[in-house]
Amino acid sequence: MARTTPKSKLNIPMCLACVLFCLTLISTHMTGGLYAKYTVSAEADDSARVAKFSVTEDCTSFSTTLEMPLEPGIYTKTIQVKNDSEVAVEYTITLENDTDNIPLLLAVDDQTPTADYCSLAHNMAPGTTDTRTITVKWPGEGAEEYIGKVDLIKVTIIANQID
């Protein structure tokens, strides 16, 4: 009788664990340098100072109620806008007929007069003065129907620093 040697049994769970362990080592090695791509460092420095901002106008009568008799014709008023700032500014002069009781035409400088609203934007360098002319025109036709009516024209000047 021939003697046969017993065959050893294959331990499947242990083989599977070894294969998974090898795959884990390989994937860890592959992704090892991946996290280094997301590491960032930076340094910065900045300094600033505060610049003087001062824009004025010379017609202080606009800050109070200015009453005047109005009859058909053209009325003008000049405004001087002065930039005492250390920076350039952009200013906007706006004329608006708030109550719209009388058919007035409004204009700033050489603009074509428009009904009830007009606006002009302009830039100014530091230390300069601009003179602007406001024009209010009331055409004469049909003026009799507006006898005794009053109107309110709002003049607004808004100045913004230019970066």
Side-chain angles (χ1 to χ4, degrees):
M1 287 207 94
R3 229 172 167 210
T4 59
T5 58
K7 280 189 166 179
S8 63
K9 270 182 144 182
L10 183 65
N11 191 352
I12 295 176
M14 190 55 133
C15 286
L16 188 59
C18 286
V19 169
L20 288 176
F21 181 68
C22 288
L23 289 174
T24 303
L25 288 177
I26 291 170
S27 64
T28 303
H29 175 70
M30 296 275 224
T31 60
L34 184 65
Y35 295 114
K37 293 179 186 176
Y38 299 111
T39 303
V40 175
S41 66
E43 287 185 34
D45 190 16
D46 196 7
S47 64
R49 69 178 190 88
V50 177
K52 176 184 170 187
F53 186 80
S54 173
V55 178
T56 58
E57 52 85 20
D58 73 336
C59 296
T60 56
S61 63
F62 284 125
S63 59
T64 60
T65 302
L66 176 65
E67 294 181 14
M68 63 181 205
L70 187 64
E71 47 189 54
I74 298 174
Y75 299 90
T76 60
K77 178 78 173 170
T78 58
I79 297 176
Q80 282 191 338
V81 180
K82 186 173 184 182
N83 182 10
D84 288 328
S85 305
E86 295 176 347
V87 294
V89 296
E90 176 188 37
Y91 69 91
T92 304
I93 298 177
T94 304
L95 302 177
E96 186 174 4
N97 187 348
D98 268 359
T99 54
D100 198 21
N101 291 328
I102 301 172
L104 300 175
L105 301 174
L106 309 173
V108 179
D109 285 345
D110 295 330
Q111 290 180 325
T112 303
T114 57
D116 303 324
Y117 181 86
C118 78
S119 182
L120 174 77
H122 196 266
N123 295 341
M124 288 180 69
T128 58
T129 302
D130 279 353
T131 302
R132 300 290 168 201
T133 303
I134 293 174
T135 305
V136 177
K137 182 178 179 183
W138 182 9
E141 58 272 351
E144 296 84 25
E145 64 184 87
Y146 300 104
I147 292 176
K149 291 188 177 184
V150 295
D151 224 334
L152 174 67
I153 298 172
K154 184 168 53 172
V155 179
T156 308
I157 300 174
I158 298 174
N160 294 313
Q161 175 180 339
I162 299 174
D163 291 332

